[in-house]
Amino acid sequence: MKSIDRKLLRDLWALKSQVVSIALVIACGIGGFIASFSTHDSLVTSRERYYDSARFPHAFAMAKRAPLALVEGIRSIPGVSEVETRVVRDAQLSIEGVVPPMIARLIGVDFARPPAMSRLTLKSGRWPAPGAAGEAVVNQRFLEARRLRLGAQAQVLMNGKRERLTIVGTALSPEYIYATRGGGMPDDEWFGVFWVDARALAAAFNMEGAFNSVLLRLAHGASSPAAVDALDRLLEPYGGFGAVGREDQISHKIVSQEINQQRVFGLVLPSIFLFVAAFILNVVLHRQVNAQRGEIAALKALGYEDRVIAWHYLKFASVIVLLGAAIGIGLGWRLGRAMTGLYTDFFHFPQFYFRLLPWVVLAGSGAALAAAFGGALAAIRGIVTLRAAEALRPPAPAEFRPLMIERLGYAALLTPAQRMILRNLERKPVRAVLTVAGIAGSVAILLSGTFWVDAVEYFIDVQFNQVQRANVFVGFAEPVALAARRELERLPGVLQAEASRAIPVRLVAGHRHYRTALTGIAGDATLQRILDRDLRESKPAPGGVLLTTRLAARLGVAPGDTLVAEMLEGKRVKAELRVADTVRELAGMNAYLPLEALNRLAREGPVISAAGLRVERGEEPGLLERLKEIPAAAVVIVTRTLLETFRATSAKNILFFTAILTAFAATIAVGVVYNNARIQLAERAWELASLRVLGFTRGEVSVLLLGELAAEIAAAIPLGFVAGYWLCWFMISLMQHSEVMEFPLVILPDTYLYAGAVVAAAGVVSALIVRNRIDNLDLVAVLKTRE
């Protein structure tokens, strides 16, 4: 082994604790990068393989009742390779022991001839016997969420008649990877998908010889928008609700948005980790090189070339990066599997495919190595260019002068120890600023991971306490007369009933379009309000439509512009609407009109499609039992249960990511503070030993070094609060493309306190380690070294 390589090993061993701390910060960056992108790849791969094996359709459409004779016309649409029709109906669902009614989506299947599209994957039990009207297969997550067993029975309200179904198996469907009734929240407890005998379902709803749902697969290269438009025109006379391409199918859309958000976390936070790691490595190498100025001069005098010396320090940096990469790859693999497993609670794939992508491992390690080499080259550039004779001279002593506060005549306000601490900070401002920046970065990272708790709680408060004030929401199978509101008010326990109507609509502005619902709200509505994220209330005004800002941006319109509303039910009215105003709601991409204006626009009388009820809490069970007996009440939602489901599903995700980012931020804080303290100890060991010989106690000597660190931490934490706020804003802004919900930028004082406390605790741990080294200084050896 060459002499210079033996020197490398001695240097690494002498700085082993600093080497490990820097490697851990690098590992956080590489591990986060690998975990995020591997999870992203796992979700994409799992989705695409499932879509291929289950033959997921390219287009979907619903109608009221279309004859089977229309199938040939649909098949003749250019680009269509396969057509499949079926009957799909939503019905009220009851299970023994569960008071609130639930929703069952009933899908007719010929079990003797399984469907060619949206193929089901049987997870447990068996398929219903062909022609067995009382048997059903249910989506797996509903059975698990309800803790039901195979053989359990459920009652569904089919066309006014209550029918009993026996659950004989569980299945997965590519249409319900994310099972929801149509909103953005998972609803496994209150929404079940039941696959039942096709003939029995058609007979129950008078759909023999007809269908109301159609699936299309397109030939390679066929235009999906053109096929969707043609399908719309064919279904329009039969009450078509508007065809959608795969990209707008609700489950696929939500899954894709969640998957794409992994890219945000995979790029932003790991990049910060690697930046901080490069900063620490740069500082350590700078001070290591300066401390070995004499050794470098000796190497030059012995004939070592500049490139050899530079390569020696590059190898020093490489060893740290390779150690960090090795730990980071293992961390990324374990964290990636954990993150992928977390998504199994939301996305119902038959199988997840997790793998470490070679390019991700190489990209993460390469970025860390490039950052380390950049820091190393910056550190050694000045020293290796010195001549040997000049390098052998000790560095010029620092210029000592009074502090600014001393020159102003306020020196008496400080103790001698405080003056010594401030003098050292003022004389080395660049080092102090870099240390403060590193610690502030860890505070910012911690805030960016923990503020989600505040954002979600604020979202919950706004949506479930301020916007939706009704305790129970009732949706009708068909629009009913406005007088139904008074009938609901007479039900037991109902304090107030408020009517509304929603009509599915396609909004068109130039070449842009979006499918949503036009919601009609009464002018005096109090149970359903339109609030922006700052809780300012808006009202739909006569003569114009009120859009959410995200929908207006999607359509490219502003207040005063006009757009075309194509209604997808009833008389299929097409009308121009003026955009009256926009509102920045937190949930959905919504359009509002006054209830009366919506009914006039639809060319119908005073009808409603839903009602919100304010109910006495003690009377709620009795009311829900009564609603089960009302055939027209197709959908009954208890707001409290929806909130509990949302809180439970979001809390698990938030706690996981908060714990991970807390650990990462603490690692960075320890890495910055500990390395800075160790380097300062190495630089000032002779001074501290001299003070001990002069009679200073261990505590007094420690204060001089650790007091400087305390001052840097105290300065870094508030700066970290500011940086964290803007980092949170940046992450929120990257996620604004989501159509389901918009999380507000809300950071409560407790979150700031938590972030500051974690970083302060990391600083205390680092200080205690360094304090132990100060207490065990070998005074004789240190003073001899100085000579």
Side-chain angles (χ1 to χ4, degrees):
M1 181 181 293
K2 297 181 180 179
S3 299
I4 197 166
D5 291 330
R6 288 198 296 271
K7 177 183 180 302
L8 173 63
L9 295 178
R10 287 196 302 269
D11 289 344
L12 290 168
W13 181 252
L15 297 173
K16 54 184 177 294
S17 58
Q18 292 170 267
V19 168
V20 170
S21 66
I22 299 171
L24 288 176
V25 178
I26 294 174
C28 289
I30 295 176
F33 181 81
I34 290 174
S36 295
F37 276 90
S38 296
T39 301
H40 177 270
D41 173 74
S42 172
L43 295 174
V44 171
T45 302
S46 300
R47 182 190 66 187
E48 295 307 316
R49 289 188 181 184
Y50 185 29
Y51 282 179
D52 288 342
S53 64
R55 307 194 77 246
F56 189 47
H58 296 110
F60 309 77
M62 294 289 294
K64 283 194 173 183
R65 193 180 193 278
L68 288 176
L70 191 64
V71 172
E72 288 306 316
I74 296 174
R75 190 173 282 119
S76 65
I77 294 174
V80 172
S81 61
E82 292 182 60
V83 179
E84 192 161 277
T85 61
R86 59 189 182 175
V87 175
V88 178
R89 294 299 293 258
D90 285 355
Q92 195 181 101
L93 169 68
S94 299
I95 295 176
E96 186 177 354
V98 181
V99 175
M102 292 160 280
I103 306 302
R105 178 154 296 168
L106 305 172
I107 302 177
V109 177
D110 183 355
F111 292 103
R113 189 168 60 92
M117 283 183 271
S118 282
R119 292 172 177 168
L120 302 178
T121 303
L122 188 69
K123 295 300 292 182
S124 64
R126 63 174 176 83
W127 296 114
E135 294 184 343
V137 168
V138 68
N139 63 311
Q140 185 184 22
R141 287 295 296 167
F142 179 78
L143 193 84
E144 294 171 350
R146 276 286 156 208
R147 296 179 177 86
L148 300 175
R149 295 183 179 180
L150 296 180
Q153 293 189 334
Q155 289 189 341
V156 292
L157 195 62
M158 292 190 184
N159 205 18
K161 294 179 60 179
R162 201 165 292 278
E163 302 285 347
R164 187 177 298 274
L165 293 177
T166 301
I167 299 173
V168 299
T170 63
L172 300 178
S173 166
E175 290 183 75
Y176 299 98
I177 293 174
Y178 189 95
T180 176
R181 282 170 288 193
M185 302 178 190
D187 206 4
D188 294 319
E189 280 192 87
W190 305 98
F191 174 67
V193 184
F194 288 71
W195 290 273
V196 299
D197 181 72
R199 290 185 180 179
L201 183 63
F205 287 97
N206 301 318
M207 294 287 288
E208 295 96 333
F211 66 90
N212 69 344
S213 172
V214 60
L215 309 175
L216 303 184
R217 280 186 68 86
L218 305 178
H220 181 71
S223 170
S224 177
V228 166
D229 289 342
L231 182 59
D232 262 348
R233 288 192 295 270
L234 284 176
L235 291 177
E236 185 172 345
Y238 305 99
F241 292 103
V244 296
R246 177 187 289 185
E247 66 279 1
D248 289 320
Q249 197 264 344
I250 185 66
S251 172
H252 174 80
K253 180 184 289 188
I254 294 175
V255 169
S256 299
Q257 289 176 0
E258 289 288 335
I259 290 174
N260 290 336
Q261 285 178 7
Q262 277 299 315
R263 288 184 175 272
V264 176
F265 292 104
L267 286 174
V268 177
L269 294 181
S271 299
I272 297 173
F273 296 150
L274 292 177
F275 173 79
V276 173
F279 151 71
I280 299 174
L281 190 56
N282 185 295
V283 172
V284 169
L285 284 173
H286 261 293
R287 295 180 187 179
Q288 178 75 354
V289 168
N290 287 327
Q292 295 189 357
R293 183 186 178 102
E295 297 176 28
I296 293 173
L299 291 172
K300 283 175 168 286
L302 290 173
Y304 284 92
E305 298 179 1
D306 289 346
R307 60 180 180 84
V308 175
I309 298 172
W311 178 237
H312 166 73
Y313 286 101
L314 289 176
K315 285 191 289 185
F316 181 90
S318 300
V319 170
I320 298 176
V321 172
L322 291 176
L323 176 60
I327 299 172
I329 292 170
L331 176 64
W333 183 81
R334 292 185 64 87
L335 187 56
R337 289 187 66 86
M339 290 168 64
T340 302
L342 194 66
Y343 276 104
T344 61
D345 291 340
F346 298 92
F347 301 152
H348 312 147
F349 296 113
Q351 187 174 358
F352 275 93
Y353 300 88
F354 180 80
R355 61 183 177 178
L356 281 182
L357 294 174
W359 77 265
V360 173
V361 174
L362 292 175
S365 303
L369 195 62
F373 273 26
L377 291 172
I380 64 180
R381 185 185 300 114
I383 295 295
V384 298
T385 55
L386 290 176
R387 296 180 181 276
E390 185 178 353
L392 283 169
R393 300 175 186 168
E399 180 183 350
F400 290 89
R401 60 178 180 175
L403 290 168
M404 177 67 70
I405 194 171
E406 292 174 317
R407 295 198 295 272
L408 294 175
Y410 297 105
L413 299 176
L414 303 174
T415 65
Q418 290 170 340
R419 287 201 297 272
M420 294 174 70
I421 291 170
L422 290 178
R423 282 173 182 167
N424 203 54
L425 289 171
E426 187 176 296
R427 287 167 186 153
K428 298 179 179 178
V430 174
R431 183 178 70 183
V433 168
L434 291 177
T435 302
V436 168
I439 300 171
S442 64
V443 177
I445 291 171
L446 192 53
L447 277 176
S448 70
T450 54
F451 90 100
W452 296 104
V453 177
D454 301 337
V456 168
E457 285 301 318
Y458 183 83
F459 177 87
I460 287 173
D461 177 64
V462 171
Q463 289 303 121
F464 294 98
N465 297 326
Q466 307 291 335
V467 173
Q468 299 289 349
R469 291 176 161 183
N471 306 107
V472 176
F473 178 86
V474 180
F476 301 107
E478 298 286 343
V480 298
L482 184 60
R485 179 179 64 84
R486 291 191 291 274
E487 296 178 17
L488 290 172
E489 286 180 327
R490 288 195 289 267
L491 293 176
V494 175
L495 301 175
Q496 180 184 357
E498 191 171 273
S500 63
R501 186 179 184 189
I503 299 178
V505 65
R506 180 188 289 110
L507 299 178
V508 182
H511 66 283
R512 301 184 182 187
H513 61 87
Y514 189 81
R515 180 176 172 174
T516 183
L518 267 179
T519 302
I521 298 178
D524 58 350
T526 59
L527 297 184
Q528 181 179 356
R529 301 196 298 165
I530 304 171
L531 301 179
D532 68 9
R533 60 180 184 176
D534 298 318
L535 303 184
R536 292 187 293 264
E537 186 171 7
S538 297
K539 294 279 188 181
V545 62
L546 176 65
L547 303 179
T548 58
T549 53
R550 283 176 295 163
L551 178 54
R554 175 71 176 264
L555 295 172
V557 295
D561 294 341
T562 59
L563 49 78
V564 176
E566 300 175 358
M567 295 189 182
L568 303 176
E569 73 171 28
K571 298 179 180 178
R572 310 280 296 201
V573 174
K574 296 183 181 180
E576 276 197 358
L577 290 176
R578 183 180 61 84
V579 179
D581 204 354
T582 60
V583 58
R584 191 162 189 176
E585 278 194 309
L586 295 180
M589 309 235 320
N590 308 310
Y592 298 99
L593 283 173
L595 179 58
E596 299 81 1
L598 179 60
N599 281 326
R600 283 198 305 272
L601 190 69
R603 299 173 188 169
E604 296 178 354
V607 297
I608 61 174
S609 61
L613 309 179
R614 184 165 62 89
V615 183
E616 288 186 43
R617 183 63 180 271
E619 300 290 336
E620 188 177 285
L623 171 66
L624 296 176
E625 291 292 347
R626 283 291 303 275
L627 289 172
K628 290 180 182 180
E629 301 170 1
I630 301 176
V635 177
V636 178
I637 301 172
V638 181
T639 307
R640 171 175 45 82
T641 60
L642 191 63
L643 170 59
E644 290 170 356
T645 301
F646 178 73
R647 193 186 294 275
T649 53
S650 63
K652 188 175 182 179
N653 252 347
I654 291 170
L655 288 175
F656 176 81
F657 286 106
T658 297
I660 295 299
L661 287 170
T662 297
F664 281 9
T667 300
I668 290 175
V670 170
V672 174
V673 175
Y674 176 70
N675 276 283
N676 188 62
R678 280 297 310 275
I679 292 168
Q680 288 192 47
L681 177 61
E683 292 177 346
R684 301 178 64 186
W686 188 87
E687 299 173 22
L688 300 178
S690 300
L691 291 174
R692 289 280 290 113
V693 170
L694 292 174
F696 281 71
T697 65
R698 289 188 178 94
E700 290 170 332
V701 170
S702 299
V703 164
L704 297 178
L705 181 63
L706 301 183
E708 187 174 329
L709 292 177
E712 290 167 340
I713 292 174
I717 288 176
L719 291 176
F721 291 162
V722 176
Y725 178 89
W726 288 108
L727 178 58
C728 295
W729 173 86
F730 179 65
M731 293 181 66
I732 285 284
S733 67
L734 291 178
M735 299 168 66
Q736 292 304 329
H737 64 276
S738 173
E739 298 177 7
V740 177
M741 62 185 68
E742 175 186 341
F743 284 113
L745 179 53
V746 177
I747 310 176
L748 298 180
D750 287 351
T751 304
Y752 284 111
L753 182 62
Y754 172 76
V758 169
V759 172
V764 169
V765 171
S766 303
L768 290 175
I769 297 172
V770 175
R771 166 65 189 267
N772 181 62
R773 290 186 173 273
I774 295 174
D775 292 345
N776 293 290
L777 276 177
D778 186 340
L779 302 182
V780 175
V782 171
L783 292 173
K784 280 185 175 179
T785 300
R786 185 69 173 181
E787 295 173 359

